Amino acid sequence: MSDAAVAVIRQVRRERADRAGTFTITIDGGCCEGTAPHLYENYVVPAGAIEIGRVDDVPVFIPGNLGEQYATASVTIDVVDDPLSDAMSLESDLGKRLVFRPGP
Amino acid sequence: MKEFGLFINGKWEAAEGGKTADTINPATEAPWAKVAVASRNDVKKAVAAAKKSFDSGVWRKKSKEERAKVLESIAAAIMERAEELAAAEARDGGGTIRKASFMDVPGTAGTFQEFARVLRASEEEQVFEETVPVPSKNIIRAEPIGVCAGIVPWNFPMIMASWKIAPAIAAGNSIVLKPASVTPVTALMIADICKSAGVPDGVVNVVSGPGAEVGEELATNADVGKIAFTGSTEVGRRIMQLASGTIKKVTLELGGKSPNIILDDADLDTAAMGALFGTFMHQGQICESGTRVLVPQKLYDTFIDKMIAGSKRITIGDTMDMMTTMGPLVSAAQLKTVGGYVDAGKSEGAECVLGGDRPANMKKGYYFNPTIFAGVNNKMRIAQEEIFGPVVAMIPYKTEEEAISIANDSMYGLGGAVWSKNKDRALGVARQIQTGTVWINDYHMISPRFPFGGYKQSGVGRELGPWGLAAYQEIKHIHVGESVPADQKIYFGALFN
């Protein structure tokens, strides 16, 4: 996790502090943008997902079917400017987008 | 530079706070249009306009025939403005003008045309006369749901808009559509065309806007009765979760990693061109692209050689040149994603036998060369994750059973194909593939007459044809009983002595 990504996640949590939600990062994808991290409030984690780490107290999950591929990989979550993201990940309201990069 | 507002209640509106964004031509990397960017409040306004138009009955109370005629007028108006729409689609999304002219525009008009036919052929009411337990008439009515929300992606902005708008309004609903934030222009133009063709104000609303808040509002607003989403599996999962708060009807058309199975008795020359068509059409940015090509081990090298030879007939270039057959990826972000997968494929031990880099002759634009990976096994990331770029994974197999097993070893189940000179044999394989669509000796042949959607984590429900119309309807049973003395309703005896 890059320092910039941690800062953005903390900012999202501050801006939503008046709500009672819990936060989760899930790395998954499909059509349109490839596998990417999504920061959600009150997310129901799919069965079989594997927790691969935490940012503060926010758990980071990957789906079970990708567990084997990512078991040995090191994963970095970074953040970029992206004012037009449709991923519904919470940091997109700040014109930012978390991105997922293999490697440290 | 062209400018577009939000299309709410039949009028062009500025976004809250006057917020706008430039939309970029992916071939030139230059802005070409300015579009209003909706806030959560703008979405609320659009939903309120849709609800008002629905409640008023101005559209839903029109006869089937009246609605069908308006849908046909929309189709005709789209063809009248074909050149303008094709140019906008190519500039906004980076598809070629050839694709926009021959696929996107006729495909969009064809969807409205087909839903006019489906609507006419549908039965708004079916009547059943029953005698047990008492004489009764039973009316089964198909009614509109109310306000529908549609969220569509950037790969086929105009066709995807028509897949949501046409069935929604055919059924008598009102709709709020959110196009992809990088490709909003043609959906806005279609909304304007709908109004000119006779759709009342407030029935078709289009609001462009990125971010979690806009999507969350559409998926949670209590006045939205149905949400239809095309896009990534993860965002689909999120929308389904959010929609559960108010038990919205949900249809989802999501990702894919579709198998394209070459049987050993296929016409290899045609199948090789088909495998290229299935993966490199629109730079691979199609959800049901055949990105896993399964080839008999004994034909593996020959087949890849044929694909490499065939790829020379793909022309990368200026999207507005009718001779160009392959344009750029939609955005800088997408280019980065695809590059990342090529690196992942190499580091997992697959062999990049074609492409893997950017074309040297294109100085501007998010172009990427057609890329073929050999030596792929189905566990690799490039075989399991959807790349949404011009990257194909060639997977060898030994037996037909193994091919079917590899084909189905995916969380996705959207499309796929089987190539063989023996159609019966191909059918036998097709029946065992767990996907919503299987083509035999073809690819990408989606028709508005036939259902499209996904098995497994590729979606919920089906779009297009009568199945697609039903996804925008509520079904009501009206039991018409006899007005007779209570003692003749013998089943009352269950409660009364």
Side-chain angles (χ1 to χ4, degrees), chain A residues 31 35 41 44 69-70 86, chain B residues 181 238 241 379 385-386:
Chain A
C31 185
T35 302
E41 191 176 11
V44 181
Q69 286 86 342
Y70 288 89
D86 290 318
Chain B
S181 300
R238 180 61 177 161
Q241 291 188 1
K379 294 288 176 209
E385 296 177 39
E386 183 163 21

Side-chain angles (χ1 to χ4, degrees), chain B residues 436-460:
Chain B
T437 300
V438 184
W439 294 285
I440 291 174
N441 297 324
D442 255 318
Y443 217 94
H444 289 319
M445 293 294 102
I446 293 171
S447 159
R449 297 180 82 93
F450 302 117
F452 183 78
Y455 278 37
K456 299 192 270 188
Q457 295 192 36
S458 285
V460 175

Side-chain angles (χ1 to χ4, degrees), chain A residues 16 19 26 28-35 38 40-44 46 65-66 68-70 83-90 92-93 100-102, chain B residues 21 153-154 178 180-181 210-213 215-216 231-235 237-239 241-242 255 287 334 336-337 341 379 381 384-386 388 411-412:
Chain A
R16 292 199 169 218
R19 300 157 69 145
T26 178
D28 203 347
C31 185
C32 307
E33 67 162 4
T35 302
H38 297 73
Y40 291 139
E41 191 176 11
N42 295 336
Y43 180 72
V44 181
N65 69 308
L66 294 180
E68 200 176 311
Q69 286 86 342
Y70 288 89
L84 294 179
S85 170
D86 290 318
M88 290 180 65
S89 187
L90 297 178
S92 57
D93 286 332
F100 157 68
R101 297 202 173 105
Chain B
W154 44 258
K178 190 186 97 62
S181 300
E213 287 207 340
E216 279 180 8
S232 83
T233 292
E234 183 47 51
V235 179
R237 182 179 291 124
R238 180 61 177 161
I239 284 173
Q241 291 188 1
L242 292 172
C287 50
Q334 193 61 18
K336 207 164 194 171
T337 300
Y341 277 109
K379 294 288 176 209
R381 285 185 56 208
Q384 287 292 325
E385 296 177 39
E386 183 163 21
F388 233 58
M411 65 178 258
Y412 297 117

Side-chain angles (χ1 to χ4, degrees), chain B residues 382-444:
Chain B
I382 55 168
Q384 287 292 325
E385 296 177 39
E386 183 163 21
I387 299 172
F388 233 58
V391 181
V392 61
M394 306 298 299
I395 304 174
Y397 70 84
K398 292 193 182 69
T399 64
E400 198 174 291
E401 291 68 32
E402 188 191 7
I404 293 164
S405 158
I406 294 170
N408 290 334
D409 180 18
S410 168
M411 65 178 258
Y412 297 117
L414 195 54
V418 185
W419 297 78
S420 168
K421 285 179 192 151
N422 180 340
K423 283 186 198 158
D424 288 335
R425 183 184 172 203
L427 258 174
V429 174
R431 289 195 177 102
Q432 298 177 72
I433 304 298
Q434 297 158 359
T435 64
T437 300
V438 184
W439 294 285
I440 291 174
N441 297 324
D442 255 318
Y443 217 94
H444 289 319

Side-chain angles (χ1 to χ4, degrees), chain B residues 17-323:
Chain B
K19 201 173 171 196
T20 62
D22 290 342
T23 166
I24 307 290
N25 180 340
T28 62
E29 302 180 33
W32 81 278
K34 194 180 277 298
V35 178
V37 173
S39 67
R40 186 186 279 263
N41 285 332
D42 291 319
V43 175
K44 284 183 177 167
K45 204 163 119 185
V47 171
K51 183 172 188 317
K52 195 171 163 208
S53 71
F54 185 79
D55 290 346
S56 77
V58 63
W59 177 247
R60 70 182 158 90
K61 287 185 180 167
K62 285 193 189 303
S63 70
K64 276 198 323 187
E65 183 55 31
E66 284 173 306
R67 294 204 303 271
K69 282 203 170 111
V70 171
L71 287 171
E72 286 172 338
S73 301
I74 296 168
I78 289 167
M79 292 316 292
E80 275 165 28
R81 291 174 65 178
E83 218 167 300
E84 182 194 351
L85 286 165
E89 189 77 331
R91 288 202 174 93
D92 223 19
T96 62
I97 190 72
R98 189 195 283 216
K99 165 185 159 286
S101 304
F102 296 119
M103 292 174 85
D104 298 325
V105 172
T108 305
T111 304
F112 284 99
Q113 190 75 43
E114 177 60 18
F115 273 108
R117 194 192 67 78
V118 169
L119 176 60
R120 283 201 182 95
S122 69
E123 292 191 82
E124 269 179 330
E125 285 194 353
Q126 297 178 69
V127 179
F128 300 86
E129 298 286 351
E130 297 292 324
T131 54
V132 178
V134 285
S136 65
K137 185 159 96 172
N138 293 268
I139 303 165
I140 308 302
R141 278 176 59 76
E143 298 187 350
I145 294 169
V147 177
C148 299
I151 301 179
V152 295
W154 44 258
N155 58 344
F156 287 87
M158 189 162 38
I159 289 184
M160 290 295 108
S162 75
W163 282 24
K164 307 296 184 243
I165 295 173
I169 65 174
N173 299 285
S174 296
I175 183 167
V176 177
L177 182 87
K178 190 186 97 62
S181 300
V182 292
T183 58
V185 169
T186 47
L188 289 160
M189 292 170 75
I190 295 293
D192 194 30
I193 286 173
C194 287
K195 178 187 165 87
S196 312
V199 176
D201 290 352
V203 174
V204 174
N205 307 275
V206 177
V207 289
S208 176
E213 287 207 340
V214 168
E216 279 180 8
E217 184 60 35
L218 284 172
T220 56
N221 189 303
D223 289 330
V224 171
K226 185 235 164 79
I227 185 158
F229 170 75
T230 300
S232 83
T233 292
E234 183 47 51
V235 179
R237 182 179 291 124
R238 180 61 177 161
I239 284 173
M240 205 169 181
Q241 291 188 1
L242 292 172
S244 71
T246 44
I247 316 291
K248 296 188 196 324
K249 279 70 189 163
V250 178
T251 46
L252 303 172
E253 196 265 275
L254 308 173
K257 196 73 194 177
S258 298
N260 194 356
I261 304 174
I262 316 302
L263 296 182
D264 57 10
D265 60 353
D267 176 332
L268 292 187
D269 292 315
T270 309
M273 298 310 279
L276 295 166
F277 181 71
T279 43
F280 296 147
M281 186 66 218
H282 197 34
Q283 298 78 262
Q285 301 170 126
I286 308 181
C287 50
E288 33 69 48
S289 289
T291 48
R292 293 185 296 146
V293 179
L294 279 48
V295 187
Q297 182 77 62
K298 61 186 176 191
L299 300 172
Y300 191 71
D301 293 339
T302 311
F303 194 78
I304 291 173
D305 288 344
K306 285 181 188 293
M307 281 178 67
I308 292 171
S311 73
K312 308 295 178 221
R313 290 171 59 188
I314 296 170
T315 306
I316 294 176
D318 174 6
T319 49
M320 302 312 282
D321 181 342
M322 204 44 110
M323 292 312 291

